Amino acid sequence: MSRLIVGPFNRVEGDLEVRLDVADGRVASAEVVSPMYRGFEQMLVGRPAMDALVVVPRICGICSVSQSVAAARALAAAAGVTPPPNGVHTTNLMLGTENAADHLSHFYLFFMPDFTRPAYAARPWFAEAERRFAALAGVQARKALAARQRWFELLGTLGGKWPHTQSIQPGGSSRAIEAAERLRLLARVREFRAFLEQELVGAPLEELLALHDEAALERWRAAAPGRGDLRLWLDIAADLGLATLGPGPGRLLGYGGFVQPDGGHAFPPGVWEDGRIVPLDLATITEDATHAWLADAPEGALHPSVGLTRPDADKPGGYTWNKAPRLAGRVVETGALARQLLAGQPLVTDFVARHGCGVAARVLARLVELARLPGLMEQALAAIVPREPFHVATRLPDEAEGCGLTEAARGALGHWLRLERGRIASWQIVAPTSWNFSPRDAAGVPGALEAALVGAPVSAGETTPVAVQHVVRSFDPCMVCTVH
Amino acid sequence: MNAPLDVLWLQSGGCGGCSMSLLCADTPDFPALLADAGLRLLWHPSLSRASGDEVTALLDEIANGRRPLDVLVVEGALLRGPNGSGRFHLLAGTGVPMISWVRRLAAQARHVVAVGSCAAWGGVTAGGANPTEACGLQYEDELAGGLLGAGFRAAGGLPVVNIAGCPTHPGWVLETLMALADGSLAAADLDALQRPRFYADQLVHHGCTRNEYYEFKASAERPSDLGCMMEHLGCKGTQAHADCNTRLWNGEGSCTRGGYACISCTEPGFQEPGHAFDSTPKLAGIPIGLPTDMPKAWFVALSSLAKSATPRRVKQNAVADHVVVPPAIRRTRK
Ligand code: SF4
Ligand code: SF4
């Protein structure tokens, strides 16, 4: 048995270290370490409630809209307000823009450069992977970066600026969209759709979304080898066996995405468990601090509505700043894979039925979701009625509680708040990567990534094993959100 | 052509948003923009292939003076806690506090650049009771000092260059780095808070689409109203040093164009204004944060005069989310 400490782990958002015990060329056990703490939950206490709309997006520069939405929804719940339909659609558009940009950046800038490592120089696809995806040089990576920049211009109109817009309010959006602006936004969405069709998919998005099972996907891949970056990735995934690498717990959580004015969702909430979808019981969420550098509550693991965050850098047994969230005491995974399984997306469902929830399923779900987003955003733009209200006034009671849920690109994000005398008395955040990158809990059960890493191959002499990097990045971690 | 400037980019107690903002730079080819500007990214946490020990080896070489470094960029606040130990941020894979790495690397670098208000002043990370003892590279809010001390000068002669903003505008970062690359950034190009003057000698108020409402003190009352946000909604655009309304964000936006107040995110201490961000503190009905350069008596006299002269169009549109009274059409020929 030998020990490897891997870090700094880059092309993830924020700081990450992974400690591995390696035996017989495989990871025997892993500890996932978030080595930075900022203390947002502490900083918010005592502030006027609406200040959270300024502070909370600054938890994360990659999914700041998601943080804003969760905060605004928690405040809306506390105030008992419902945004008007235009406010709902505008919020969806902003979230959709950010989530799509995250999926795009993840694939082109964070995930694919690992396939240009010298370790793969002998593979038949290597030269092409390097041409397309080399860090800061690959032709496709550069095109994607340019498409991303144009795409974020949507948020200039919708939210003033990105990251850290403050336009997302409990009562809707502070930026009303005019009729001509709606058309301009539509033109931008179509431009992005064209990028995805030409470069990523190499076919109309609907063609990809019509593939109902893995067999159809395989026929589609074989029909035009190498056309579009998705097909090249499928070639690489097949060659390296990425489908069975890094399996998750097989239990996935979603809070529901693209909320509609009638309360429905384009991506429904729920829990997916070994092929079955069961309802989500929010009351069974707890956070356990046993292995975090955070003081334990005498009662043990707590629901976030009564959660505690008190740093204790010297705590025995602590190895990370992340708490261990659990659902009814069990480890869950969250992200695009959860959303697409809960939505019953046929291709993703079939793929998971055959191979389980591994690296390839996570990436495939993200790309399928990316292909679905332009259509959903075109619908949201069609539903906006210029000159109808985008915002309703909000009055917060002095004493209240609220919970705000949303789907960030990386999965289920929840905020739980309590107001006393008009000020924030408690604000607890459970981020997607808190779920996926959780440490062990009081029972010693490892978190989702910690378990997924077990069995990953480590070649002789590897100090930063490339398979480990694929598994870690397949979750698209956001460590700044995790440890807030 | 000079040899390219080697840039090492580190992130500490921030959100990564300044890097994400940088990638929104207005260009069809970001890597080409850097290369053409004479900038070479030695390592950036989001953009480089190198991970793990490849990176720690590079940092060691620089810190030990075996490899020269042109620019050290730090994004995010420096976390000195708990109790000065720096353990709130250990650089992954090294077990060593980031503040120790930054001190050693800054001592070797030709230029040291703080990207964002966290790295410049401490920023939002230093908010509330500042649980992590966060500070900036050379400031702690408006107090000179910070991690490196008020007397620090990089080998190239400049103090820390503070590209403040939360996040920073990609244009501010790129133009600063380009000026360093072509040797044209001198001490006189920095303002009294060491911010590049090309953007800090401006006010957010300049070019705000709400200027006509401001002139007539026709004020927004709620988020999404079109009026000026200075009187009721906390806007500090008349005091905030930045060109946000003339150099727009993400193609066409700015805070005020997005319908919310400028919170003066380029200024030290902005995270703790002493009042709720979304409302304007007043004394006897007069906002206490008056426009920079404006005597109070003048402001009071002008605003009461302006209010009495406000056209109906401006008054009504100020409290609507779209134009309800269009401008009158007048004959242009006599
Ligand atoms: S909203 Fe702010 S920046 Fe715009 S005119 Fe009013 S005070 Fe100036
Ligand atoms: S308008 Fe004000 S708060 Fe907004 S980015 Fe500019 S300086 Fe910062």
Side-chain angles (χ1 to χ4, degrees), chain B residues 204-205 208 210-211 214 228-230 235 237-238 256:
Chain B
V204 167
H205 185 62
C208 179
R210 297 165 193 251
N211 280 169
Y214 174 87
C228 171
M229 296 182 288
M230 182 206 169
C235 185
T238 56
T256 59

Side-chain angles (χ1 to χ4, degrees), chain A residues 8 10-11 15-17 36-37 47 51 58 61 116-117 142 157 159-162 174-175 178 184 313-314 463, chain B residues 15 25 29 45-46 48-53 87-89 92-93 166 224 250 252-254 257-258 260 272 277 322:
Chain A
N10 69 325
R11 285 176 293 109
D15 283 77
L16 170 66
E17 178 177 297
M36 185 180 85
Y37 174 80
R47 283 183 179 271
D51 273 14
R58 285 158 168 104
T116 70
R117 293 192 174 279
R142 288 161 92 141
T157 309
K161 72 167 188 191
W162 184 90
S174 67
R175 176 65 158 85
E178 294 286 352
R184 196 152 82 226
D314 298 314
T463 49
Chain B
C15 68
D29 190 347
S46 313
S48 303
R49 191 183 67 185
S51 236
D53 54 356
R87 284 163 62 202
F88 279 132
H89 186 194
C166 184
S224 93
N250 303 100
E252 56 180 36
S254 72
R257 286 167 203 231
Y260 47 96
E272 290 297 330
F277 283 110
H322 60 276

Side-chain angles (χ1 to χ4, degrees), chain A residues 214-365:
Chain A
E214 197 194 9
L217 179 72
E218 281 305 305
R219 283 194 300 275
W220 181 81
R221 170 165 77 104
R227 185 201 292 165
D229 298 324
L230 168 57
R231 280 195 181 89
L232 179 61
W233 172 73
L234 288 169
D235 294 344
I236 296 173
D239 182 46
L240 297 179
L242 297 185
T244 48
L245 182 69
R251 197 176 305 113
L252 295 99
L253 160 74
Y255 289 157
F258 266 77
V259 183
Q260 299 303 307
D262 67 3
H265 297 80
F267 301 140
V271 179
W272 187 97
E273 232 182 304
D274 298 323
R276 290 179 311 121
I277 294 173
V278 295
L280 163 67
D281 181 1
L282 290 172
T284 66
I285 296 174
T286 54
E287 284 198 294
D288 176 323
T290 309
H291 290 281
W293 289 307
L294 297 165
D296 292 303
E299 311 86 315
L302 295 177
H303 188 266
S305 60
V306 291
L308 272 186
T309 305
R310 275 201 313 254
D312 179 359
D314 298 314
K315 187 171 139 186
Y319 62 86
T320 178
W321 292 104
N322 188 14
K323 295 179 203 167
R326 294 290 185 263
L327 187 70
R330 303 167 83 190
V331 176
V332 300
E333 173 176 348
T334 187
L337 182 56
R339 285 190 293 269
Q340 295 312 316
L341 288 172
L342 289 166
Q345 206 284 330
L347 175 58
V348 174
T349 305
D350 181 66
F351 193 91
V352 164
R354 285 165 201 282
H355 307 288
C357 302
V359 168
R362 282 180 203 109
V363 177
L364 180 66

Side-chain angles (χ1 to χ4, degrees), chain A residues 49-54 57 65 67-77 79 81-84 86-88 90-91 94 158-159 165-176 390-396, chain B residues 221-225 229 233 255 258-261 277-278:
Chain A
M50 295 289 271
D51 273 14
L53 297 176
V54 170
V65 165
Q67 294 287 352
S68 293
V69 169
R73 286 188 182 151
L75 290 166
V81 297
T82 311
N86 277 344
V88 174
T90 316
T91 303
M94 286 193 257
L158 291 163
T165 177
Q166 275 135 240
S167 69
I168 297 159
Q169 299 276 325
S173 166
S174 67
R175 176 65 158 85
F390 283 73
H391 175 266
V392 292
T394 308
R395 257 192 67 85
L396 279 163
Chain B
E221 286 166 11
R222 293 168 306 257
S224 93
D225 285 351
M229 296 182 288
L233 299 183
C255 293
Y260 47 96
F277 283 110
D278 64 353

Side-chain angles (χ1 to χ4, degrees), chain B residues 55-233:
Chain B
V55 183
T56 40
L58 172 73
L59 298 186
D60 261 328
E61 263 190 285
I62 297 170
N64 293 328
R66 292 198 307 271
R67 181 188 182 124
L69 176 64
D70 297 311
V71 187
L72 172 67
V73 171
V74 177
E75 171 183 359
L78 292 312
L79 307 182
R80 294 168 299 179
N83 306 315
S85 69
R87 284 163 62 202
F88 279 132
H89 186 194
L90 302 176
L91 177 60
T94 71
V96 172
M98 187 59 124
I99 54 172
S100 313
W101 280 108
V102 168
R103 282 197 189 102
R104 290 176 66 201
L105 294 163
Q108 301 290 340
R110 190 141 65 91
H111 305 292
V112 178
V113 175
V115 164
S117 288
C118 290
W121 333 117
V124 165
T125 305
N130 192 358
T132 55
E133 299 163 45
C135 66
L137 279 171
Q138 206 169 12
Y139 279 85
E140 186 164 359
D141 290 337
E142 51 284 315
L143 280 181
L147 183 78
L148 299 177
F152 173 84
R153 292 295 174 271
L158 291 175
V160 173
V161 178
N162 289 323
I163 314 178
C166 184
T168 44
H169 192 293
W172 305 341
V173 178
L174 283 167
E175 282 156 39
T176 303
L177 292 177
M178 287 168 78
L180 288 173
D182 80 358
S184 64
L185 194 84
D189 298 314
L190 303 179
D191 78 353
L193 290 163
Q194 297 165 203
R195 297 175 295 197
R197 291 180 55 186
F198 68 83
Y199 82 88
D201 281 0
Q202 330 259 336
L203 294 173
V204 167
H205 185 62
H206 302 157
C208 179
T209 49
R210 297 165 193 251
N211 280 169
E212 190 188 35
Y213 299 99
Y214 174 87
E215 287 166 32
F216 289 109
K217 292 291 157 293
S219 297
E221 286 166 11
R222 293 168 306 257
S224 93
D225 285 351
L226 295 179
C228 171
M229 296 182 288
M230 182 206 169
E231 197 177 19
H232 303 309
L233 299 183

